[in-house]
Structures are given as structure tokens and as C-alpha cells.
Amino acid sequence: MIRTVFSFRISTCIPFLLAAALVSAPLAAQQDPAFLKQTNTRWADSVFKTMTPDERIGQLFMVAAYSNKDAKHVKTISDLVKNNKIGGLIFFQGGPVRQANLTNKYQKLSKVPLLISIDGEWGLAMRLDSTIKYPKQMTLGAIENDSLIYAMGHDIAMQCKRMGIHVNLAPVADVNNNPKNPVIGVRSFGESKEAVARKAAMYMKGMQDAGIMTSAKHFPGHGDTESDSHKTLPEILHPREHIDSLELYPFKQLISEGLSGMMVAHLYVPAFDTTRNTATTLSRNVVTGLLRDSLHFKGLIFTDALDMKGVSKFYGPGEVNLKALLAGNDVLLFAEDVPAAIALIKKAVAEGKITQEEIDQHCKKILYAKQWAGLNHYKPIKTKNLVEDLNNPKYDWLLRRLADASVTVLQNRNNVLPLMRLDTVKGAVLCIGNKNEVEFQRTAALYTGLTAFNIDRDAKNATRDTLISKLEKFNTILVSINNTNVKLTDNFGITPLAEFLLDTLTKQNKRIVVSVFASPYALQFIPSALKADAVVMGYEELPVVQQVAAQVIFGGQSARGKFPVSYAGFGAGTAVHTGPPVRLSYTLPEAVHASREKLARIDSLAMEGIRKKAYPGCQVIAVKDGQVFYMKSFGSFTYDGQRKVKNSDIYDLASVTKIAATTAAVMKFTELNYINLDSNLSDYLPGLVGSNKANIVLREMLTHQAGLEAWIPFWKRTVNDSGALKSSIYRKMWSDSFPIRVATGVYIQRSYKDSIYKQLVSSSVSAEKKYKYSDLGYYFLKRIIEEKSKILLSDYVSKTFYQPMGLQTMGYLPRLRFETARIAPTEKDMAFRKQVLQGDVHDQGAAMLGGVAGHAGLFSNANDLAVMMQLYLNKGTYGGVRYLDSATVNEFTRIQFPANDNRRGIGFDKPEPDTKKDSPVCRNASLSSFGHLGFTGTMTWADPETGIVYVFLSNRVYPDADDNRLAKLGTRSSILKVIYESIGK
């Protein structure tokens, strides 16, 4: 059983007793550090007995090591390990594999395993590349759910263990009650001592419960300083009562809950020690009298880095180390001249300034810590898959949850957030500070069409003025403040340009929403931000934080954070709640309890289709309960692989047009009493009276049991025997007589649409009322919709649905709205149009109508189609607006004629209930689900029972539409099956 009480000489410095008496007693039921509660310390005790006095002194030194320095540095550290028997290393900048290799090297050289530490307040990424960067503590200060901070501590600890690190010099327990603090700031949880104590304890426990030692800092409190201890010695001039009740409060709480380590700051605090130029690190009154004797802290006491000017500028080589030891510190951190320091310590022992017994006690405590950390069973770090392990996707989910919980809406005048009717938004998204596209802009673009602008923080006035001129035509501007830093001395990276632009824009008659990805104290440099309609605080520039901020603005998720400080007119705890989500959110599989391992099968299936040339590329989206948890693109536009598919790219939806356009319009028309589904076709198209189409019932036509032919190849009448286009019907150039574009260099006669209609009217109709899939009814529906609405079908669905919903890519005639290079090509049509089709509808009949038809012609990316399907799954609402009645959606998506062996809904396809027959969808889909497939290689499906929405878009018709390998492989349905299985029950 180890001793948990250590005795120290006190004869050299009586005044610390006075300091101890001035501090209130520690909290009741104080816990000892875990490493001091070990019942078996044989390893530590036996190692200690083998050590010489010099080796015991060596154990007290923790030297700075780097994995990004040259061989000379490596030799220096190696020599210190071999010759001076130092006890540990603190690693700074470098990379994981390089550091692991060096750790293994140094451990092999060391007689006693080294205690490895890192200064990783926001995770390993504070020091190492290729690792996960967690939020800084000010961001965490905005989080209400402190269990997330515990989880973060645990995850960081697991990453430390994988790296062979035993001590993380965190958390920061300083109460940042001085906005002018140049060194703490966003490293603190905030200005509330209770919040700081609570959150620091959770961070500490998360790490310690996972087997990593912690070191709270910067004792006795660095939060109320206005100078940087890296450069000089800051002063704290408050009376001891103030310090005891405020600065010391979090440290006392942590001590009571079993803190394993404490770092002492370089501060001048006359309330405890009036000796000039004596930092608290070197003050026996503070280290021994206050921390150890009064607060009864038994854990390891670390100095702050002894190379910092706050202490080093007053003493010669090695001298500062001796003074730190005499003050009572256990670990001498970042010692610059170890041999000189050892010599001075040995001299001090000889002169009676410190006893060998005291050194032995420090050494034993370090050895106990090493045993608790597992160094009695030391194993080298395995570097295989090291980077992959450190970036395990499971860590991403916590990072996302931290961001979700921290983003704060400070201001929301007139409830402008979330942005609602997007058809009224003529929007721009402006990034100030970064000339390249940022994550905030990319995420905002998922919700609606926004014009992106970027300006560097040091842009010249001419560039600034040009930007202001370009922004004049917009009525809504989302502004993000990016490329910031944590340095108060650099105005947090914010230049006067940002204030000038915000001042200019907020004086105009526009909606301005400002997202600040910087310290809350940065608001002092952009006061005009507070004139904006809404202010969103992201606190820092992490990509995931930017994603969340954009989603809060559009109602993809709620704002959950609370302001952790009082500043810029906002009190601590300020939070404007924006209500429950009203649009899709973009998240990770864990949000819907989906298995990443199972979802990986989607990647395999998608790539298999590409390898087998079922399609050159595709987009896949999976949504559950309004949360997009899988969104990826695969392959290329063509098999040459030159143009990779992006999530923003646009595909020809083919027959999915039926449910995403025409059926949507019919649903609306039934609500407006423009259409009665049980009326006859001739009731709306009187010209059909007397024809075999006159008595076709709309409900039967929309469920494909009206007896119509499957399709009519209208184009074949327009080519001669050699396959050339008839000159009487087509021209190569547009004219008043030939105004309808069919493809590039192909324009059809204005009146030919009447010929198409005549062929439709004269086509045969079967008397047998059974299910037979047909495009023809949708030609008639297009005419009905256009005659009733007095506008084109394309305009009607755009104005009624797509524009208000923010569906920027969904619509007809994409060539008029987007660059052709963004649209996936379809067939190399050598039979009809004699060209590769890109941006023109693949379906020949739709093309001959100018690209707008009821059965085909719609284009979209997967994201916008998912939104449209979510509208149906929501029973007609989206973005806080009701577009359709729930009863309408229920009616259209149910099976209409089950007795006729017809699985179809009204417009919508449905699963085949007869398990002996082929179904358009996997058997996992419920019978209440609905969707549609498209000839070009598309599919979308929605399931009310599970909340799943699925979209698969491809251009399987490239280069040849005849070889339908996609259908043979069953890729679309197989991927949906994986989605169901990934979520389970």
C-alpha cells in the first residue's frame, strides 16, 4: 500500500503557512488521485530501489521533444534519455507515425520507461497533424449537456493511449473573466466559475476514467491577466479573498473529485507571495503552502513550461529548475538545460537546501504514476494503421454532437431564422476572410440557390467596392467571418475590411445574417455585426461547426448553444431558440443508429456497378426521419474517368418526373377542385369526346390500368429510311417556325406537337382494365395542367413547389439554368439526334415537346429529389410550409386497385405485395412505401413506416440505352436493402 501523504521540508520558507491559512478548506469527501490508490506498487517500489540518487533526480525532468525536427534534435533527446535518465517527454509539433517511431526509440533507450505527455487541450491535433481537432474549451462552454464533454475526454484519452501518451496537460480550469486576456481566452470554458468547474471536471473524468492522467491548469488561475506569460510575468493583484472565491474555485472542485495532476502557472500574485519577479511556479508559498498543504492536493504537480519568459528571463541556465523544485513541484516541464539543472540540484542537496528524501518522494510519486499508466507492462507502439485508428469514424460522431450542441444564435430579429419561404430569397453567401470556398458556403448551398462570394481579409479597396456593387441585387446575404485565429493581439485575424463590409451591408434594405467563426471577444472588432437581423456564433472555424451553423440558419436543426461569457451586450447564457427542424439535416450514420460497417456495402455495390459498366457514375442519398445520413457520389460522367461525379451534379430523372412533377401538380389540382380523379379524361379535354380516350377515368389512367399503349416512338415518323431527320420537320437553327429545341442543332417545327397529340388520340385502348405501365396518360395530364394553370407545366411545378422549397437543381430545361458541364450526359443517340445528349432530355417524346413533358424531362441532383420525397413523407409539409394536405398524400400513395392485381398508387409505384412476383423494390420496404424508377438509371423511394427516403441517380444509358445491366445487377434495390439492414429494427 503506497503512502498518500508526503512530507516536505518547511524550514526554508515559513511564509507559506500564512498563505495556507488564507484559503478556505477543501471540499468534503475529497478523493485521492487514482494513481495514489493502487494497492500493489511492487513495480514502482522495486524500480525505485535500483536507482541512484542522480537517476532519481533525472526522473523529475520532462523534456520537450518534437517529431518534425532534424537528426540533431533526436540525438539531443536520445543523449538526455541515456545519459541523464530523464523521467519523461512532452511532445510538441509533428506527425503521429513520426512521433510513435521516436517514442519507441526513446523508450528503448530509457532504463525506466518514460512518462509521455502532450499539451492537447483540444486533442492531439493541437500538436499533431493527421489527427482529429476537437473544439476549444470556449466552444464547449456553450454546451449545456456536459456529458458530451466527458465523452470527448474519453475519446481523446483513447487516442492518447494509441499514441503511447500517458498524460494530457488539460483541462484548462481558468475562469476567463477578463476579455483582454491574451493567452487564455478561448482556451477557457468561460467566465462562470461554476460552469468552468463542472465542465473541467467532466473533461478530466473522461480522460482519467480511460486511463490517461490529466493536469489541470493554470493554477492558481490565469483568467484575469492582460499579459502573456510566454513573454513576460503577468500580475494578478486581486486580494486573496477574491482569488479564493473565484479563481481557485474550479481547482478546488477538481481536487475534490480526484484530479491526478496540476500545472502551476507563471504568475506574480502578491496576495500569496510578495517576492518580486517570483512566479507562482517558483513560489513555495503557492506550490507547497497553498496547493499541497492548504488544498491538500496529492497528485503530480507540473510546472508550466520552464522556458517561458515569465520565469526564464530572471534566471540562468538550470537555476529556474532548482527554484521550481524547491517550491515543491514534482515534474520540471520543458527544462532547457538538464545537465546544468541536475548539477545545481545536487549542489542544493549538498548545501542542505533540499534533502534527498524530498527528491525521493517526488521520484516515487512519478513512478507510481508510471505504474498506474501501465508502464510496468510497457509495449512499443504499433504503427500499423495508426493514422486510421486515430481517425476512426466513431470519433466523428462525437465531434458532430459537440458542434450541434454549441452553435449559438445570439440575435434573431423578427424571427428571421430559420429562413422560410425560399422563393422570396434572392440570396448571396459571402465569406469574409477567405478567398476560397468554405464549408459554410457548401452546406448553405444544399438548401437553396445562393450566389457565393469570397473576399480575402486583406483585399484592396477596389476589390471591396466591386464586391459591394455586386451584392446590390440581393435581398438576403449570409455573411460568414472566416480565417480567424485565437490571438487578441492580431484582432483574432479580423481586419477593418470585415467591419466596413458589415457596416455597409447592414445600412442597406436587406436581410443580413452573420455567422461568426471566431472567439466571442472578436465581436469588438465587428460591432456592425450586431446590427444584422441575426447573429450566429460558431466560436471557431471547424468545418463541422460551419456545417451546423448553416443548417441552423435554414432550419435543418435547432440552435442549442448558450453564450459562455458576458460580452458585446449579450449576457452569459444568452440563447435564442429557433424551434424544431423544418428541413433536412445533414449528419452522420450514428444519428439514426445506422451501422457504418453495413453502409460500407453501399460503396461496394456502387463501385461494382461501375466496374461492370452498368453506369459510369452515380449519386446515392439515404435519409431517415429527416436526417441525411449517407450522401456520396461515385465514378465519373463517362467511362474515361475524366469528370468525377459531385453531389451537386444534375441527372436526367426520366420517369421519376411522373411523381416529382406531374403527380405533384395533379395532387394540388385535386385540392383546388380543378381535377376530380374519378372524372373522365374528356371532362378536361373536350377534344377527346368521341374518341376511345373519352371515358378513361383519371384514377385508372394514373394507376396504369386505363388500357393505354405502353409508349409511342413518335420520333420514328420524323426520320427517313436512311435515318436522317426529315428537313420538313427539323432545322439546324432556331426560327419562329422551328422554335422548339430537341437537341444541339436540332429544332422541330412549331406545329409538330399537334401531330404528336393526334397520334396519342388515335392510339389504341385495350378494353381489359388491367395493370399495364404506360407513359401516354402523362401527355394528357400535361395538357390538362397547362390549360388549367395557364402556364407551362415546368413553370407551374417550379413556382408551386421547387422555388419555395429551395430546390435549385430540380426543374426542366437545365441548360437554361446551369452550365452544361454540371449535367451528366446520357446516351450517344446515333439513331435519332446523332449526338451525345447532355442537358437535353433523353426521352425522345419529351424532347420533341421541347424538353417539358408529363412523363419525362425533369432534372435534379439527388439532394433535391430527396427533399421532394421528404415532402411526401411529411404528408405535404416542408420548410414550415404546407404544400399539400395530408389526406391528399395518403390517398395518392396508397394502393388503389388491389382487387385488380395492381400494386400502384396514384402516380406512385408501390411494392409488390405478392411475394411470388417481382417487386420494383427490396422486400424490406413496407407495403405503405412508395416511389418510382426511371429509364435513365434512377430510383427514389420513401417509407412512412421507417422514415426512410432513398435516392439513386445514374446515367446508365451512357453510352448505350439498350444494354440495361443496371436492372440485371439489381443495384438500386440492393443498395436500398443495405440501407434498411444498416438501421435494423
Side-chain angles (χ1 to χ4, degrees):
M1 184 73 178
I2 77 166
R3 290 180 298 167
T4 59
V5 177
F6 294 83
S7 62
F8 290 88
R9 290 184 50 166
I10 62 174
S11 59
T12 57
C13 192
I14 295 297
F16 79 87
L17 293 173
L18 176 61
L22 296 174
V23 179
S24 58
L27 299 176
Q30 178 171 309
Q31 299 181 40
D32 286 346
F35 77 94
L36 293 181
K37 294 192 289 186
Q38 300 175 92
T39 57
N40 182 349
T41 60
R42 293 175 190 169
W43 178 85
D45 295 333
S46 63
V47 169
F48 174 78
K49 292 176 182 178
T50 68
M51 300 172 76
T52 67
D54 284 6
E55 289 173 343
R56 294 172 187 176
I57 294 174
Q59 284 295 299
L60 313 185
F61 290 91
M62 185 169 274
V63 176
Y66 298 78
S67 58
N68 65 350
K69 289 192 173 183
D70 58 15
K72 181 180 178 181
H73 170 74
V74 175
K75 185 178 185 305
T76 298
I77 300 300
S78 298
D79 289 345
L80 289 171
V81 172
K82 288 187 297 183
N83 302 331
N84 299 108
K85 305 297 189 295
I86 59 174
L89 297 172
I90 174 171
F91 271 99
F92 285 91
Q93 280 71 26
V97 176
R98 287 170 287 161
Q99 178 171 312
N101 285 329
L102 285 175
T103 300
N104 289 341
K105 175 183 176 68
Y106 298 143
Q107 291 284 25
K108 189 174 182 180
L109 293 172
S110 185
K111 176 183 175 182
V112 178
L114 297 161
L115 192 67
I116 305 297
S117 73
I118 194 168
D119 195 5
E121 296 165 20
W122 48 90
L124 299 182
M126 185 169 171
R127 303 299 177 188
L128 297 177
D129 60 34
S130 308
T131 55
I132 294 175
K133 184 177 183 180
Y134 289 91
K136 297 179 178 65
Q137 290 188 192
M138 185 66 75
T139 307
L140 303 176
I143 294 175
E144 285 195 271
N145 182 2
D146 292 336
S147 65
L148 293 173
I149 300 172
Y150 174 92
M152 186 191 82
H154 193 278
D155 281 2
I156 290 173
M158 298 307 294
Q159 293 158 30
C160 285
K161 294 181 84 166
R162 183 65 180 87
M163 280 295 303
I165 294 168
H166 314 107
V167 183
N168 186 11
L169 301 176
V172 172
D174 301 313
V175 180
N176 199 77
N177 51 350
N178 188 338
K180 296 180 180 180
N181 195 318
V183 67
I184 302 302
V186 296
R187 297 167 67 192
S188 166
F189 287 111
E191 67 178 35
S192 162
K193 66 181 183 180
E194 292 84 3
V196 169
R198 189 175 65 250
K199 294 173 187 294
M202 294 299 275
Y203 190 2
M204 171 196 79
K205 290 177 181 178
M207 287 191 284
Q208 291 182 176
D209 286 354
I212 292 295
M213 297 189 68
T214 61
S215 179
K217 57 190 182 186
H218 304 79
F219 185 86
H222 208 319
D224 194 7
T225 61
E226 294 186 18
S227 55
D228 187 347
S229 52
H230 294 85
K231 302 174 182 178
T232 187
L233 184 60
E235 296 182 350
I236 293 182
L237 303 178
H238 292 302
R240 56 186 177 268
E241 293 84 4
H242 173 94
I243 297 171
D244 180 40
S245 64
L246 181 60
E247 277 80 5
L248 288 178
Y249 181 87
F251 297 107
K252 290 190 285 186
Q253 293 287 332
L254 293 175
I255 292 170
S256 73
E257 297 189 45
L259 177 68
S260 57
M262 184 80 79
M263 177 183 285
V264 183
H266 303 319
L267 302 169
Y268 175 60
V269 188
F272 297 119
D273 196 329
T274 58
T275 308
R276 292 301 303 176
N277 298 330
T278 296
T280 43
T281 331
L282 311 183
S283 169
R284 191 166 179 83
N285 284 9
V286 172
V287 179
T288 299
L290 174 58
L291 178 56
R292 195 183 304 282
D293 291 346
S294 178
L295 298 182
H296 304 287
F297 179 63
K298 300 174 184 178
L300 282 180
I301 301 178
F302 294 78
T303 69
D304 205 341
L306 294 175
D307 70 325
M308 293 165 61
K309 298 302 180 184
V311 290
S312 65
K313 71 178 183 178
F314 300 111
Y315 304 98
E319 189 178 3
V320 69
N321 298 277
L322 172 60
K323 288 188 172 292
L325 181 59
L326 292 174
N329 293 282
D330 297 305
V331 180
L332 308 176
L333 191 69
F334 213 131
E336 290 189 289
D337 192 337
V338 173
I342 290 176
L344 286 174
I345 292 170
K346 291 173 67 176
K347 182 180 178 184
V349 172
E351 293 175 351
K353 295 179 180 178
I354 187 170
T355 66
Q356 183 63 47
E357 182 185 5
E358 289 176 276
I359 292 172
D360 290 350
Q361 289 172 347
H362 292 299
C363 178
K364 281 185 179 180
K365 196 194 293 189
I366 291 168
L367 291 174
Y368 295 146
K370 288 185 176 185
Q371 179 171 333
W372 183 83
L375 284 170
N376 54 324
H377 301 294
Y378 165 74
K379 293 181 181 179
I381 305 163
K382 295 180 180 179
T383 57
K384 183 178 180 181
N385 298 325
L386 177 59
V387 174
E388 291 82 355
D389 291 345
L390 294 175
N391 291 275
N392 190 307
K394 68 182 180 182
Y395 297 133
D396 294 338
W397 174 227
L398 177 61
L399 185 59
R400 173 57 191 252
R401 292 165 69 201
L402 292 166
D404 285 348
S406 64
V407 170
T408 308
V409 174
L410 285 181
Q411 184 166 281
N412 190 23
R413 294 194 175 104
N414 299 317
N415 294 319
V416 66
L417 299 184
L419 296 175
M420 299 305 283
R421 288 291 301 236
L422 297 181
D423 52 340
T424 67
V425 174
K426 187 172 178 58
V429 54
L430 167 63
C431 168
I432 301 175
N434 197 322
K435 60 184 178 182
N436 299 315
E437 183 185 46
V438 297
E439 195 62 35
F440 177 79
Q441 292 172 304
R442 283 188 284 271
T443 305
L446 293 170
Y447 289 99
T448 190
L450 297 168
T451 304
F453 295 92
N454 293 69
I455 187 167
D456 189 77
R457 63 186 181 190
D458 296 318
K460 297 186 181 302
N461 289 349
T463 303
R464 176 200 69 190
D465 295 340
T466 299
L467 172 63
I468 291 172
S469 177
K470 290 180 178 179
L471 291 171
E472 287 179 358
K473 65 180 180 180
F474 299 97
N475 64 16
T476 303
I477 302 176
L478 311 183
V479 182
S480 68
I481 306 299
N482 289 78
N483 198 16
T484 61
N485 59 46
V486 298
K487 299 177 182 177
L488 172 62
T489 53
D490 188 34
N491 296 351
F492 301 104
I494 297 174
T495 62
L497 170 70
E499 170 59 16
F500 182 89
L501 287 171
L502 288 173
D503 180 56
T504 302
L505 294 174
T506 53
K507 288 177 179 176
Q508 299 174 357
N509 187 26
K510 302 177 186 295
R511 282 190 296 190
I512 306 296
V513 178
V514 179
S515 297
V516 182
F517 301 110
S519 163
Y521 304 121
L523 291 172
Q524 66 185 296
F525 301 109
I526 44 172
S528 290
L530 305 187
K531 302 175 188 175
D533 295 279
V535 179
V536 180
M537 279 301 304
Y539 304 102
E540 56 185 298
E541 264 198 299
L542 286 175
V544 67
V545 171
Q546 296 185 59
Q547 292 168 9
V548 171
Q551 294 189 50
V552 165
I553 290 170
F554 285 97
Q557 64 183 79
S558 307
R560 302 175 190 167
K562 290 189 174 183
F563 207 43
V565 295
S566 299
Y567 198 67
F570 299 104
T574 296
V576 179
H577 296 287
T578 53
V582 295
R583 294 190 177 93
L584 291 184
S585 67
Y586 299 84
T587 183
L588 299 174
E590 289 80 1
V592 298
H593 308 290
S595 163
R596 284 181 183 261
E597 290 74 18
K598 292 181 179 179
L599 287 173
R601 176 67 177 150
I602 296 178
D603 301 47
S604 300
L605 289 167
M607 293 306 299
E608 178 188 35
I610 293 170
R611 285 194 304 272
K612 293 186 176 180
K613 295 199 171 181
Y615 46 84
C618 65
Q619 294 176 347
V620 182
I621 278 187
V623 187
K624 186 177 188 325
D625 302 329
Q627 300 173 91
V628 178
F629 65 94
Y630 184 98
M631 181 166 63
K632 284 188 181 182
S633 292
F634 301 89
S636 305
F637 272 8
T638 60
Y639 288 109
D640 61 16
Q642 292 184 3
R643 172 57 165 81
K644 300 297 183 184
V645 180
K646 303 174 184 176
N647 291 338
S648 58
D649 289 332
I650 301 165
Y651 281 81
D652 183 337
L653 299 185
S655 285
V656 173
T657 301
K658 293 181 175 74
I659 65 170
T662 310
T663 300
V666 171
M667 294 166 88
K668 194 67 180 176
F669 273 29
T670 62
E671 294 179 4
L672 296 171
N673 294 318
Y674 292 168
I675 285 179
N676 184 322
L677 292 172
D678 296 310
S679 296
N680 294 331
L681 197 54
S682 59
D683 292 337
Y684 304 102
L685 298 174
L688 294 178
V689 172
S691 74
N692 59 0
K693 310 294 186 306
N695 296 324
I696 288 178
V697 178
L698 294 185
R699 188 184 298 271
E700 292 183 339
M701 188 175 74
L702 278 159
T703 52
H704 301 279
Q705 67 171 42
L708 294 172
E709 295 179 18
W711 72 298
I712 299 174
F714 300 108
W715 68 275
K716 289 187 176 181
R717 292 190 181 187
T718 68
V719 298
N720 56 32
D721 293 341
S722 66
L725 299 176
K726 292 181 179 179
S727 59
S728 60
I729 300 175
Y730 297 100
R731 292 287 191 274
K732 293 182 179 180
M733 301 291 291
W734 179 93
S735 69
D736 286 340
S737 300
F738 295 84
I740 301 172
R741 178 192 171 97
V742 178
T744 301
V746 181
Y747 293 86
I748 197 168
Q749 190 182 61
R750 179 188 296 274
S751 62
Y752 198 79
K753 62 179 180 292
D754 297 329
S755 176
I756 291 174
Y757 192 65
K758 288 177 182 178
Q759 293 179 60
L760 285 166
V761 173
S762 63
S763 64
S764 65
V765 176
S766 172
E768 189 177 9
K769 301 294 184 181
K770 67 176 184 178
Y771 170 55
K772 180 182 179 181
Y773 185 79
S774 173
D775 284 343
L776 302 194
Y778 286 85
Y779 285 89
F780 294 117
L781 289 170
K782 173 182 182 290
R783 179 163 285 202
I784 293 171
I785 292 165
E786 292 180 345
E787 289 185 0
K788 288 286 186 181
S789 66
K790 308 302 182 185
I791 58 176
L792 291 174
L793 168 63
S794 55
D795 292 336
Y796 181 78
V797 291
S798 180
K799 291 179 180 179
T800 306
F801 298 103
Y802 310 154
Q803 290 179 23
M805 293 171 66
L807 308 186
Q808 55 175 317
T809 65
M810 183 171 282
Y812 292 87
L813 307 174
R815 292 176 66 102
L816 301 181
R817 299 178 292 124
F818 302 100
E819 294 181 0
T820 306
R822 189 175 164 186
I823 307 168
T826 52
E827 187 178 7
K828 287 184 177 179
D829 181 7
M830 295 297 103
F832 175 31
R833 287 157 283 191
K834 309 295 191 298
Q835 59 188 270
V836 174
L837 302 172
Q838 188 169 14
D840 291 306
V841 61
H842 176 266
D843 182 89
Q844 298 95 332
M848 294 170 73
L849 292 176
V852 180
H855 67 290
L858 198 64
F859 286 72
S860 179
N861 65 8
N863 179 69
D864 283 358
L865 181 54
V867 172
M868 193 68 191
M869 295 302 287
Q870 189 66 43
L871 167 73
Y872 296 139
L873 208 58
N874 292 349
K875 306 299 183 183
T877 65
Y878 190 77
V881 177
R882 177 163 291 283
Y883 295 89
L884 297 167
D885 290 340
S886 59
T888 303
V889 177
N890 289 336
E891 176 64 14
F892 273 68
T893 57
R894 73 173 180 86
I895 294 177
Q896 297 293 306
F897 299 104
N900 288 16
D901 199 23
N902 182 349
R903 69 172 187 263
R904 290 274 175 167
I906 302 174
F908 293 92
D909 201 355
K910 300 279 291 178
E912 175 53 62
D914 187 345
T915 57
K916 297 178 181 179
K917 296 181 180 181
D918 290 338
S919 180
V921 67
C922 64
R923 291 295 177 184
N924 307 69
S926 73
L927 293 180
S928 63
S929 68
F930 53 86
H932 216 285
L933 280 73
F935 184 78
T936 52
T938 59
M939 177 182 182
T940 187
W941 213 263
D943 192 337
E945 291 190 16
T946 60
I948 288 175
V949 168
Y950 165 60
V951 178
F952 178 96
L953 301 184
S954 77
N955 53 338
R956 75 96 192 158
V957 292
Y958 181 90
D960 182 3
D962 293 333
D963 186 3
N964 196 347
R965 298 185 192 181
L966 175 61
K968 295 172 185 175
L969 285 173
T971 304
R972 290 173 288 189
S973 190
S974 294
I975 289 177
L976 179 55
K977 185 174 186 288
V978 170
I979 291 169
Y980 276 101
E981 291 174 347
S982 74
I983 297 171
K985 296 181 180 180

